[in-house]
Amino acid sequence: MIKLYVQKWNSFVIIVLTLLMMVSCSVFGPQPDKIIEVVVEVDEQNVSEKEMQLIQKKIVDRLSKVSRTPEVARINNSNQISIKVPTHHSIERIKQYITNPGKLDFYELYPTNQFTDFFVKANEIARLKKDEENPLFSLLVEPEYSGNAVLFSVAEQDTAKVRRYISSEAVVSSLPVDTRLLRFLWGKKERESEVFPLYALQLGKEGKPGLSGNHVEGASHTFDPMGNPVIAVKMDEKGAKVWEKLTGKAFQNQTNIAIILNDEVYSAPRVLSGPILEGRSEISGNFTVEEAQDLANIITSGAIPSMRLISFDVQKLQ
């Protein structure tokens, strides 16, 4: 009886170990083929010990999705962090996990029709300085239907010029009083047309977003009804209440909500059916499945400050 019990126990252990190996392979894939060693520096001054520990934890959380044994350590009480990652994933993918700030914010947008006179004024002022017929309007690309969210789009090489035309003191002073709490922000480059859309964000108190990503407690990649990869976001209890209020206001005003990652508008959906309950939202942005997975992991780990790459070395494994 004892011998039979031992045999059964051994068989059980083998089965469990096999299952664990299968799960490990499904999460991490093949064995590492390289070791990536990186030194980064937090691009901020006066970072406290507690803040540095939290940054290190978030980087470990991120890299644990793409490496079994990431090593992350602060260097001599400085703002620099040493990172060692055995992995089979691409170098660029690992770099994203380390350096992407993952800063997520939500803003209500102003309707585009409130800025018609403003852009006419900006074009007139630019014309006086440039001695051209339509220095601003000649650069604009009319957006496709965007639910009253996109002001216009421009080619990448013209973004700085347009920003200069619409930010001069004489032009800004012509803004309607009810749109003075405003921030113009570019959206993610549209892959099909290679242009950047411009949005008009409504600023909250002290210039803050309507809802900060600090209230996001988790994110995962999924698919929309058309089969496109998107990121599903779940907010904490406080965030859910703010989100319900923010989306309720947008529904009443028939405006859009901008979903912003690292100061770039990824999507700006119209709120069509009343306040959104339970703190749920989706981020779309012409993602590949891998991009959606990675951004979901980065958002879940929480935002980190901007990082400067000090050194980056790749050691191939035999």
Side-chain angles (χ1 to χ4, degrees), residues 115-127 129 135-137 139-140 151-154 158-176 179 182-186 196-201:
F115 296 94
T116 302
D117 292 341
F118 169 77
F119 290 119
V120 169
K121 181 72 171 179
N123 187 67
E124 288 177 352
I125 292 175
R127 183 170 56 196
K129 294 181 179 180
L136 173 60
F137 290 156
L139 303 177
L140 309 187
L151 296 165
F152 50 74
S153 298
V154 300
D158 295 325
T159 54
K161 190 181 293 185
V162 168
R163 171 68 70 181
R164 190 165 61 250
Y165 288 159
I166 66 176
S167 60
S168 71
E169 185 175 343
V171 173
V172 171
S173 64
S174 68
L175 278 168
T179 61
L182 164 73
R183 180 188 180 192
F184 289 118
L185 190 65
W186 298 107
F196 287 82
L198 186 68
Y199 299 85
L201 280 56

Side-chain angles (χ1 to χ4, degrees), residues 106 210-212 215-217 234-250 257 274-280:
F106 303 84
L211 177 64
S212 165
H215 294 292
V216 171
E217 63 180 15
K234 179 68 172 68
M235 298 159 191
D236 61 21
E237 184 177 354
K238 182 177 179 180
K241 291 179 180 178
V242 176
W243 185 237
E244 181 179 348
K245 183 177 180 181
L246 184 65
T247 54
K249 180 171 175 278
I257 299 288
I276 299 176
L277 309 179
E278 300 180 355
R280 297 186 181 277

Side-chain angles (χ1 to χ4, degrees), residues 216-264:
V216 171
E217 63 180 15
S220 59
H221 82 279
T222 183
F223 298 90
D224 66 16
M226 302 297 292
N228 301 308
V230 295
I231 301 167
V233 174
K234 179 68 172 68
M235 298 159 191
D236 61 21
E237 184 177 354
K238 182 177 179 180
K241 291 179 180 178
V242 176
W243 185 237
E244 181 179 348
K245 183 177 180 181
L246 184 65
T247 54
K249 180 171 175 278
F251 173 71
Q252 184 176 10
N253 295 338
Q254 291 296 287
T255 53
N256 298 59
I257 299 288
I259 302 174
I260 297 165
L261 185 62
N262 299 330
D263 289 328
E264 189 174 44

Side-chain angles (χ1 to χ4, degrees), residues 5 89 112 119 148 157 171 215 217 232 237 240 280 284 315:
Y5 175 80
H89 292 288
T112 58
F119 290 119
N148 203 29
Q157 67 269 19
V171 173
H215 294 292
E217 63 180 15
E237 184 177 354
R280 297 186 181 277
S284 59
Q315 176 188 346

Side-chain angles (χ1 to χ4, degrees), residues 51-66:
E51 289 170 330
M52 287 297 293
Q53 290 177 355
L54 182 58
I55 292 167
Q56 290 172 245
K57 179 183 180 302
K58 290 178 178 179
I59 293 174
V60 170
D61 288 345
R62 292 180 177 191
L63 292 174
S64 295
K65 303 295 191 300
V66 288

